[in-house]
Amino acid sequence: MEVVKVLHMNGGMGDTSYANNSLVQQKVITMTMPITEDAINQLYCSTLPKSLVIADLGCSSGPNTLFVVSELIKVVNQLRQKLGHQSPEYQVFLNDLPGNDFNTIFKSLPSFQKKMSSQLGAGAGPCFFAGVPGSFYSRLFPSKALHFVHSSYSLHWLSKVPEQLESNKGNIYMARTSPPSVLMAYHAQFQHDFSMFLKCRAEELVLSGRMVLTLLGRRSEDPSSKECCYIWELLAIVLNEMVSEGLIEEEKMDSFNIPQYTPSPSEVKTEVLKEGSFSIDCLEVSEVNWSVNNNDGGYNVAQCMRAVAEPLLVSHFGEAIIEEVFSRYRGILSDRISKENTVFVNVIVSLIKNE
Amino acid sequence: MEVVKVLHMNGGMGDTSYANNSLVQQKVITMTMPITEDAINQLYCSTLPKSLVIADLGCSSGPNTLFVVSELIKVVNQLRQKLGHQSPEYQVFLNDLPGNDFNTIFKSLPSFQKKMSSQLGAGAGPCFFAGVPGSFYSRLFPSKALHFVHSSYSLHWLSKVPEQLESNKGNIYMARTSPPSVLMAYHAQFQHDFSMFLKCRAEELVLSGRMVLTLLGRRSEDPSSKECCYIWELLAIVLNEMVSEGLIEEEKMDSFNIPQYTPSPSEVKTEVLKEGSFSIDCLEVSEVNWSVNNNDGGYNVAQCMRAVAEPLLVSHFGEAIIEEVFSRYRGILSDRISKENTVFVNVIVSLIKNE
């Protein structure tokens, strides 16, 4: 599976689109907003740029895409008014993989820009948008071109499925029954990818530039901990069921693994220190319920996971099984949500580029 | 008609797509390449930027979109090798209206970048791409953010259909039977739009920054000259025919006008001098046959015009008439191409930003 070509959230504005099934991600952005606001305020005060360049990496398409950016600009606008400064011009780069639905974002921009400029009021600088297709595990921008990087719920996606996962039969991710070699392969891929991410951004950010990164993660040091793997284990149950009924080939199931790693705070910290370009301003953990609203939680969580994982599943298993997979998944999710405390764990880190 | 929402070339990669029906535009880009190359070479020598920022305005989607940019970068790379300089990093902004099919461009980028980096060889700087949705009759970039602006076959599109064209009955563009008030309304809209374009770009370009602009135009000072209006007059014949057969409402026909202006070189020169931010390095006129290859010219020209005008026609008349319109148009075009010398006239201007 070529992750760069395959991985993207479901596009468009339909029932199974990411745009209509990303409430959890929105809640996480709102929860982490105080950290993000604090970072961009410090950035603004320390650099006072005439053009403030912000990149949102892994922006996807939908309401979350422009939500972060509009909040960041509102915060800077308030601060510069308080300080009596003239407004900077804003340049916003929205990045995601080339399969992301940029057309839908771009069509929504004119009305968004109109609304924003009326909210900001007179005296606020213009805001220029650009879409940047490409993997954030490579360089995306010229040297010293960015002031602020934001990324939410994207960096837990790996650049590729780790190699040597043949022994992960019956599982599709790190799981309690995965052999140690699988957990090690996942961890090694995360280390490689995350340090590459830091290295690239260090070249692209100005001095004192800032990043706020939110990843799906875990509190535990055990990478097969239930707190991060459970949601995929339940999907594996569905797929295994369908294998036993002859609806999916066993070989197909055995060769499918999710290109994701959900790190602990200390794993994030270790990579940042090892790479050396950034200082950690703060590192926090929080959690959010799988089900954002309590009605029909199974349906909403299944739709959310479908918006996220459908392209990966289609690429590997084909279109035909999708409805059945998510109908069964919904049933399992409803059951577990009603009986257990099911949460996603978030790791948030705020970084400052060193001299 | 809201031109910003409606105007775009046909997207995708299908039979009626701009990607597969833009050979004339490609030929024009090739014809004007010596002027473009000369301009970017001068720009490189006078500014020697570490990051060279290029914008293609009205990039559309298809082979032409990346053709210009790759030529420009090859030229700079040759020059910097000759001069023994380290390569700049390249940042390329591809701009078009929000309805343009950016997704198709973005999906083609990974293989394009791979090919280009192998063509440029070792030592060439990386090349970063971004898509910028929006009208070039407004600001698109921060101040002094660009070095080089290219635009081919885009600036003859106006920001809107001029007002007060009620008297242009039976025509869909400036025509030999259009009353003077119509020709004046078109000219006024061009003056307004083109000077706004120059003003915005003057703010966005660095000192000594360059622009090469190619527009559909005319040699004659008569705006209803056959050399620029004929292609639309033939489409008007088709639409009038369909009105007389009751296939199109007369009122619909009378209220349809193409948002385009095809200026003479002296009109372009006048606006540049009046606006005052740029000096003219060169101003030329050339022509290109309607039919790029001689086989089945009517079909190819009709497909080209369809790729360009279909969204405008659909927005005004609905989908239902489209096949019939272009089938008839093809017949008329074939007939005229076989009997007359049918060409598009190009006006090319190379500009330098003043101190």
Side-chain angles (χ1 to χ4, degrees):
Chain A
M1 170 163 43
E2 274 203 79
V3 170
V4 169
K5 286 191 186 156
V6 172
L7 179 65
H8 56 84
M9 305 299 104
N10 272 345
M13 299 295 290
D15 281 352
T16 61
S17 67
Y18 182 81
N20 285 319
N21 295 284
S22 46
L23 276 177
V24 170
Q25 292 87 336
Q26 183 160 82
K27 195 166 177 193
V28 172
I29 291 171
T30 308
M31 282 166 56
T32 56
M33 199 51 85
I35 295 173
T36 318
E37 288 182 5
D38 189 46
I40 200 157
N41 277 341
Q42 285 183 42
L43 176 270
Y44 178 72
C45 290
S46 66
T47 58
L48 293 174
K50 279 190 181 174
S51 281
L52 177 61
V53 186
I54 300 170
D56 192 53
L57 306 184
C59 65
S60 193
S61 62
N64 297 348
T65 302
L66 299 168
F67 173 55
V68 185
V69 165
S70 63
E71 289 303 306
L72 289 175
I73 292 176
K74 279 181 209 161
V75 165
V76 173
N77 191 50
Q78 278 170 11
L79 180 61
R80 71 97 197 158
Q81 282 178 315
K82 214 172 106 187
L83 297 173
H85 290 166
Q86 225 191 334
S87 175
E89 297 178 332
Y90 302 93
Q91 188 171 34
V92 175
F93 289 103
L94 302 169
N95 155 261
D96 212 308
L97 288 172
N100 185 48
D101 186 359
F102 284 95
N103 284 352
T104 297
I105 303 175
F106 286 178
K107 280 177 196 146
S108 75
L109 272 177
S111 64
F112 173 80
Q113 285 176 291
K114 212 167 166 180
K115 193 178 120 203
M116 229 183 63
S117 106
S118 89
Q119 282 179 353
L120 292 177
C127 185
F128 306 111
F129 285 85
V132 176
S135 166
F136 50 49
Y137 296 122
S138 63
R139 286 282 302 278
L140 295 166
F141 304 95
S143 304
K144 301 188 176 51
L146 305 178
H147 295 93
F148 192 84
V149 167
H150 176 265
S151 181
S152 184
Y153 264 41
S154 303
L155 261 165
H156 46 258
W157 291 106
L158 298 170
S159 70
K160 59 177 193 172
V161 176
E163 278 159 29
Q164 300 175 312
L165 297 189
E166 296 78 11
S167 57
N168 205 26
K169 292 194 203 319
N171 298 317
I172 62 169
Y173 186 54
M174 302 186 295
R176 280 165 288 181
T177 57
S178 294
S181 66
V182 167
L183 307 183
M184 280 167 65
Y186 265 107
H187 186 221
Q189 189 63 47
F190 168 74
Q191 290 177 303
H192 175 272
D193 285 345
F194 191 61
S195 68
M196 180 60 77
F197 177 89
L198 294 170
K199 192 174 163 306
C200 292
R201 300 298 87 72
E203 291 175 16
E204 293 163 357
L205 278 160
V206 300
L207 197 66
S208 305
R210 305 276 310 217
M211 293 209 282
V212 177
L213 314 174
T214 305
L215 296 81
L216 261 178
R218 57 187 144 82
R219 294 179 191 277
S220 161
E221 288 309 319
D222 171 12
S224 64
S225 155
K226 187 177 169 185
E227 59 182 338
C228 59
C229 303
Y230 197 44
I231 193 104
W232 296 118
E233 284 185 46
L234 298 182
L235 182 60
I237 290 173
V238 170
L239 296 172
N240 283 321
E241 231 177 55
M242 289 173 71
V243 168
S244 70
E245 293 169 30
L247 301 170
I248 292 176
E249 286 172 49
E250 189 165 2
E251 201 184 303
K252 275 271 165 201
M253 169 64 191
D254 284 345
S255 58
F256 182 70
N257 288 287
I258 298 285
Q260 187 172 96
Y261 188 82
T262 38
S264 69
S266 74
E267 286 173 345
V268 168
K269 185 176 174 184
T270 302
E271 291 312 311
V272 171
L273 297 180
K274 205 162 60 178
E275 197 278 330
S277 303
F278 293 91
S279 310
I280 295 175
D281 184 47
C282 83
L283 176 58
E284 290 189 9
V285 183
S286 64
E287 54 193 47
V288 60
N289 282 326
W290 283 4
S291 176
V292 173
N293 49 34
N294 292 323
N295 311 327
D296 200 13
Y299 176 75
N300 287 324
V301 180
Q303 287 292 91
C304 169
M305 293 304 287
R306 179 171 182 167
V308 166
E310 182 168 345
L312 293 173
L313 288 160
V314 166
S315 148
H316 190 83
F317 295 105
E319 292 261 15
I321 64 158
I322 295 297
E323 289 301 333
E324 184 60 25
V325 166
F326 284 99
S327 148
R328 293 180 186 212
Y329 194 30
R330 175 183 166 182
I332 292 191
L333 288 167
S334 292
D335 176 61
R336 301 307 162 104
I337 289 167
S338 70
K339 293 177 183 157
E340 303 178 39
N341 178 30
T342 49
V343 296
F344 294 117
V345 175
N346 315 310
V347 175
I348 310 110
V349 64
S350 180
L351 300 169
I352 308 169
K353 170 130 176 253
N354 296 335
E355 289 200 41
Chain B
M1 170 163 43
E2 273 203 78
V3 170
V4 170
K5 285 191 186 157
V6 171
L7 179 66
H8 57 85
M9 305 299 104
N10 271 346
M13 298 296 289
D15 282 352
T16 61
S17 68
Y18 181 82
N20 285 318
N21 295 284
S22 47
L23 276 176
V24 170
Q25 292 87 337
Q26 183 160 85
K27 196 167 176 190
V28 171
I29 291 170
T30 308
M31 283 166 56
T32 56
M33 199 50 83
I35 295 173
T36 318
E37 288 182 5
D38 190 46
I40 199 157
N41 277 341
Q42 285 183 42
L43 175 271
Y44 178 72
C45 291
S46 66
T47 57
L48 294 174
K50 280 191 181 174
S51 282
L52 176 60
V53 186
I54 299 170
D56 192 52
L57 307 185
C59 65
S60 193
S61 62
N64 298 347
T65 302
L66 298 169
F67 173 54
V68 185
V69 166
S70 63
E71 289 304 306
L72 289 175
I73 292 175
K74 279 180 208 163
V75 165
V76 173
N77 192 49
Q78 277 170 11
L79 180 60
R80 72 94 197 161
Q81 281 179 316
K82 215 171 104 186
L83 297 173
H85 291 165
Q86 227 192 332
S87 174
E89 298 179 331
Y90 302 93
Q91 188 171 35
V92 175
F93 289 103
L94 302 169
N95 154 262
D96 212 308
L97 289 172
N100 185 50
D101 187 358
F102 284 95
N103 283 353
T104 297
I105 304 175
F106 287 178
K107 280 176 197 149
S108 75
L109 273 176
S111 65
F112 172 81
Q113 284 176 291
K114 212 166 166 181
K115 194 178 120 203
M116 229 184 62
S117 104
S118 89
Q119 283 179 353
L120 292 176
C127 185
F128 306 110
F129 286 84
V132 176
S135 166
F136 50 51
Y137 296 122
S138 63
R139 285 282 303 278
L140 294 166
F141 304 95
S143 304
K144 301 187 175 54
L146 305 178
H147 295 95
F148 192 83
V149 167
H150 176 266
S151 180
S152 185
Y153 264 42
S154 304
L155 260 165
H156 46 258
W157 291 106
L158 297 170
S159 70
K160 59 176 191 173
V161 176
E163 278 158 30
Q164 299 176 312
L165 298 189
E166 294 78 10
S167 57
N168 204 26
K169 291 193 202 317
N171 298 316
I172 62 170
Y173 186 53
M174 302 187 294
R176 281 164 290 180
T177 56
S178 293
S181 66
V182 167
L183 307 182
M184 279 166 64
Y186 265 107
H187 186 221
Q189 188 65 47
F190 168 74
Q191 289 177 302
H192 175 272
D193 285 346
F194 192 60
S195 68
M196 180 58 78
F197 177 88
L198 294 170
K199 192 174 162 309
C200 291
R201 299 300 86 72
E203 291 175 15
E204 293 163 358
L205 278 160
V206 299
L207 197 64
S208 306
R210 306 276 310 216
M211 291 209 283
V212 178
L213 313 174
T214 305
L215 296 79
L216 261 179
R218 57 187 144 83
R219 293 180 192 276
S220 162
E221 290 308 320
D222 172 12
S224 64
S225 158
K226 188 177 170 186
E227 60 181 340
C228 58
C229 303
Y230 198 42
I231 194 103
W232 295 119
E233 285 184 44
L234 298 181
L235 183 59
I237 290 174
V238 170
L239 296 172
N240 282 320
E241 234 176 54
M242 290 174 71
V243 168
S244 70
E245 293 169 30
L247 300 170
I248 292 176
E249 287 172 48
E250 189 166 0
E251 199 186 301
K252 275 270 164 201
M253 169 64 192
D254 286 344
S255 58
F256 182 69
N257 288 288
I258 298 285
Q260 187 171 96
Y261 188 82
T262 40
S264 69
S266 73
E267 286 174 345
V268 168
K269 187 176 172 184
T270 303
E271 290 312 311
V272 171
L273 296 180
K274 207 162 61 180
E275 196 278 329
S277 304
F278 292 92
S279 310
I280 295 175
D281 184 47
C282 83
L283 176 60
E284 288 189 11
V285 183
S286 64
E287 53 193 45
V288 60
N289 283 326
W290 283 4
S291 177
V292 174
N293 49 33
N294 292 321
N295 311 327
D296 199 14
Y299 176 74
N300 288 324
V301 180
Q303 287 292 91
C304 169
M305 293 302 289
R306 179 172 182 166
V308 166
E310 182 168 343
L312 293 174
L313 288 161
V314 166
S315 146
H316 190 82
F317 295 106
E319 293 262 13
I321 65 158
I322 294 298
E323 288 301 333
E324 184 61 24
V325 166
F326 284 99
S327 150
R328 294 181 187 213
Y329 194 31
R330 175 182 166 182
I332 292 190
L333 288 168
S334 292
D335 177 60
R336 303 303 163 104
I337 288 167
S338 70
K339 293 178 183 157
E340 304 178 39
N341 178 31
T342 48
V343 296
F344 294 116
V345 175
N346 315 311
V347 175
I348 310 110
V349 64
S350 180
L351 300 169
I352 307 169
K353 168 130 177 254
N354 296 333
E355 287 200 40

